[in-house]
Amino acid sequence: QVHLEESGGGLVQPGGSLRLACAASGTTFAVNAMGWYRQAPGKQRELVAEITTRGTQTYVDSVKGRFTVSKDGGWRTLYLEMNNLKPEDTAVYYCNAKVVASLIQYYGLEHWGKGILVTVSS
């Protein structure tokens, strides 16, 4: 079991910045990738950014050039640096950890944090 806990959310004005952090513990050796998802009011949950063990990063088009996902070497902490925030970035952001395929039967497909609210408003 991977336990995830987000921090760093809050209220910020458009154009501002926030840095989210996700502290991971437990069976982090089974993690192959970690990422951030978000769910805005009235919308489906979407992948915002993801980083793999190899360091490959993936971003949804709407945040490219503004957000940066990073991690430490042992999946202890996942970060999301958010710059030039827009009102449409307002959402609950969830930390996600995906389990390596060969270990899914033992540790599950993926794990989620409880989410943290980011509000971008003037």
Side-chain angles (χ1 to χ4, degrees), residues 57-92:
Q57 301 168 42
T58 302
Y59 300 92
V60 66
D61 286 345
S62 61
V63 309
K64 288 180 179 177
R66 299 189 297 120
F67 291 11
T68 303
V69 64
S70 61
K71 63 175 181 65
D72 63 23
W75 296 114
R76 292 166 59 194
T77 310
L78 180 75
Y79 301 97
L80 184 67
E81 183 72 33
M82 303 184 292
N83 299 309
N84 191 24
L85 283 159
K86 303 175 180 180
E88 51 264 43
D89 294 318
T90 296
V92 175

Side-chain angles (χ1 to χ4, degrees), residues 4-84:
L4 306 172
E5 185 171 356
E6 303 95 339
S7 63
L11 174 65
V12 65
Q13 292 188 348
S17 299
L18 283 175
R19 189 192 191 205
L20 302 183
C22 173
S25 62
T27 54
T28 56
F29 65 87
V31 173
N32 188 52
M34 292 185 69
W36 295 92
Y37 288 70
R38 68 185 180 188
Q39 188 165 23
K43 294 187 176 182
Q44 300 281 76
R45 187 176 299 185
E46 66 173 351
L47 173 67
V48 178
E50 187 176 64
I51 186 166
T52 69
T53 301
R54 291 188 172 94
T56 302
Q57 301 168 42
T58 302
Y59 300 92
V60 66
D61 286 345
S62 61
V63 309
K64 288 180 179 177
R66 299 189 297 120
F67 291 11
T68 303
V69 64
S70 61
K71 63 175 181 65
D72 63 23
W75 296 114
R76 292 166 59 194
T77 310
L78 180 75
Y79 301 97
L80 184 67
E81 183 72 33
M82 303 184 292
N83 299 309
N84 191 24

